[in-house]
């Protein structure tokens, strides 16, 4: 399953040249990840209430074309690797007026207990959510393959 999250580059996210600062890409990926989780019928805050958190363990970004002030962007999000204790998501960022990707990225997360921060088996803790996530695993983006 691939979700689409719309973003418009704000003035505060740009530098003097009107180009989006690289630090914003991580924020945009987080926004897309939050929407991605909602596509499974649960919010991230609900996951936390049920005792599961997803701390970031790795972040990777490849920049191809800059984003500019007021660009209308779409972040395409997919799961490419899933286990009961870890997940890897990949992102492709595109501008509305071009088919060429602006950026590719990935994040890796652990599933942990929200009270103890110890690893948790989300397949056992939230079997319905895990089944939905597992059914939606996609092929990795070639741009991020190593």
């Amino acid at each position: 399953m691939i979700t689409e999250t719309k973003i418009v580059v704000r003035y505060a996210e740009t530098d003097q040249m009107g180009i989006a600062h690289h630090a914003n890409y991580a924020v945009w990926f987080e926004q897309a990840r939050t929407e991605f989780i909602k596509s499974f019928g649960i919010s991230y805050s609900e996951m936390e209430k049920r005792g599961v958190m997803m701390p970031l363990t790795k972040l990777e970004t490849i920049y191809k074309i800059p984003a500019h002030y007021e660009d209308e962007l779409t972040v395409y999000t997919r799961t490419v690797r899933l286990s009961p204790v870890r997940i890897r998501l990949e992102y492709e960022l595109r501008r509305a007026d071009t088919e060429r990707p602006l950026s590719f990225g990935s994040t890796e997360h652990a599933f942990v207990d929200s009270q103890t921060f110890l690893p948790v088996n989300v397949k056992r803790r939230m079997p319905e959510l895990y089944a939905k996530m597992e059914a939606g695993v996609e092929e990795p983006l070639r741009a991020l393959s190593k």
Side-chain angles (χ1 to χ4, degrees):
M1 169 177 31
I2 300 171
T3 61
E4 298 179 15
T5 303
K6 304 293 185 189
I7 294 169
V8 176
V9 180
R10 299 173 295 180
Y11 188 80
E13 296 170 321
T14 63
D15 60 19
Q16 189 173 8
M17 297 176 290
I19 295 174
H21 190 271
H22 64 274
N24 294 298
Y25 289 71
V27 174
W28 297 337
F29 293 165
E30 182 178 6
Q31 183 178 344
R33 183 170 58 254
T34 299
E35 293 302 314
F36 183 74
I37 291 168
K38 285 181 185 176
S39 74
F40 295 112
I42 189 169
S43 67
Y44 188 76
S45 59
E46 182 60 31
M47 280 181 61
E48 289 179 338
K49 288 176 189 170
R50 291 188 182 180
V52 176
M53 292 181 140
M54 293 172 49
L56 181 74
T57 60
K58 184 177 181 182
L59 168 68
E60 176 182 30
T61 308
I62 299 170
Y63 305 97
K64 296 288 189 179
I65 304 170
H68 296 90
Y69 173 56
E70 292 186 336
D71 278 353
E72 295 178 13
L73 309 176
T74 303
V75 182
Y76 298 90
T77 307
R78 67 182 74 208
T79 301
V80 297
R81 194 169 40 226
L82 177 69
S83 77
V85 294
R86 295 196 170 279
I87 188 170
R88 177 183 169 98
L89 301 171
E90 289 185 349
Y91 312 89
E92 183 175 352
L93 187 69
R94 292 181 181 266
R95 194 170 46 231
D97 65 350
T98 181
E99 283 300 309
R100 291 181 56 206
L102 277 66
S103 172
F104 299 98
S106 68
T107 57
E108 294 182 12
H109 307 265
F111 294 111
V112 301
D113 183 277
S114 61
Q115 299 299 310
T116 66
F117 281 74
L118 293 173
V120 64
N121 183 322
V122 78
K123 187 174 182 178
R124 279 193 224 131
R125 174 92 49 109
M126 301 175 80
E128 291 175 13
L129 174 61
Y130 186 83
K132 289 177 185 177
M133 288 180 161
E134 189 174 41
V137 173
E138 298 279 342
E139 289 294 316
L141 293 166
R142 288 191 319 183
L144 294 168
S145 298
K146 297 189 180 185

